[in-house]
Amino acid sequence: MEIASKGQLRLAFLRWAVVTVPFILLLGFTSARIAPTGAENLWYQMLEKPPETPPDWAFPVAWTIIYVLMGLALAMIINARGSALRGPALALFAVQMAANFIWSPLFFGAHLVSWSLILIGVIFVLALATTLVFARVRKGAAVLMLPYLAWLCFAGYLNYEIDRLNPNAETLVPAASSPQMTI
């Protein structure tokens, strides 16, 4: 059995990161393109929003940073070939990423604000479980997931406030006259 040097391990991580970072970015931004978001979404523009709502440009900036960090965390876990928890960590990551992928179309496309809030709760629980398992495999990977958890808390708060401020949000723009989803 041959032991890899630190340089070889770093190189292997970088090879994975070159794949995982763009892949996670692609998944995230594909989700955001299924339904128009932010200023591109007439329904969203009509909603009353809490005063803490960041400007529209802040969301893609925040998500880009978060997705890059998640891609790096994923590369660390994929590269941890000796860990018995590698498989469960990757499975949890995939499930939480799938749930994350659904949120934008559910909120911006289907206008289901209450269901979107429930989904953020589910995503947070899955992301927290992922982070905890990541910590048992590679502590650095778990640290890279912390901004995602923080953003999910903030996004959950914004979603809650939008739900509270707009009790009839689903009916603001009738679906027949203003299709919001593009596939």
Side-chain angles (χ1 to χ4, degrees), residues 2 70 106 115 121 146:
E2 194 174 309
M70 289 171 71
L106 188 67
W115 284 104
L146 295 178

Side-chain angles (χ1 to χ4, degrees), residues 73-144:
L74 179 60
M76 285 181 159
I77 299 303
I78 291 172
N79 200 41
R81 284 177 263 160
S83 173
L85 290 175
R86 178 178 175 240
L90 293 173
L92 269 171
F93 185 88
V95 171
Q96 70 81 29
M97 216 40 219
N100 177 299
F101 188 84
I102 294 167
W103 189 89
S104 283
L106 188 67
F107 183 86
F108 289 107
H111 309 160
L112 298 174
V113 179
S114 297
W115 284 104
S116 298
L117 180 59
I118 292 166
L119 182 56
I120 282 183
V122 170
I123 295 167
F124 180 82
V125 169
L126 290 168
L128 180 60
T130 300
T131 303
L132 293 172
V133 175
F134 274 20
R136 300 206 40 215
V137 177
R138 293 279 188 271
K139 290 193 186 338
V143 169
L144 291 172

Side-chain angles (χ1 to χ4, degrees), residues 147-182:
Y148 178 45
L149 292 172
W151 186 258
L152 286 172
C153 291
F154 181 61
Y157 164 75
L158 291 176
N159 196 151
Y160 170 80
E161 285 297 309
I162 288 171
D163 194 30
R164 186 181 66 77
L165 294 168
N166 303 276
N168 297 315
E170 288 85 359
T171 62
L172 279 179
V173 177
S177 66
S178 178
Q180 292 288 308
M181 294 191 72
T182 57

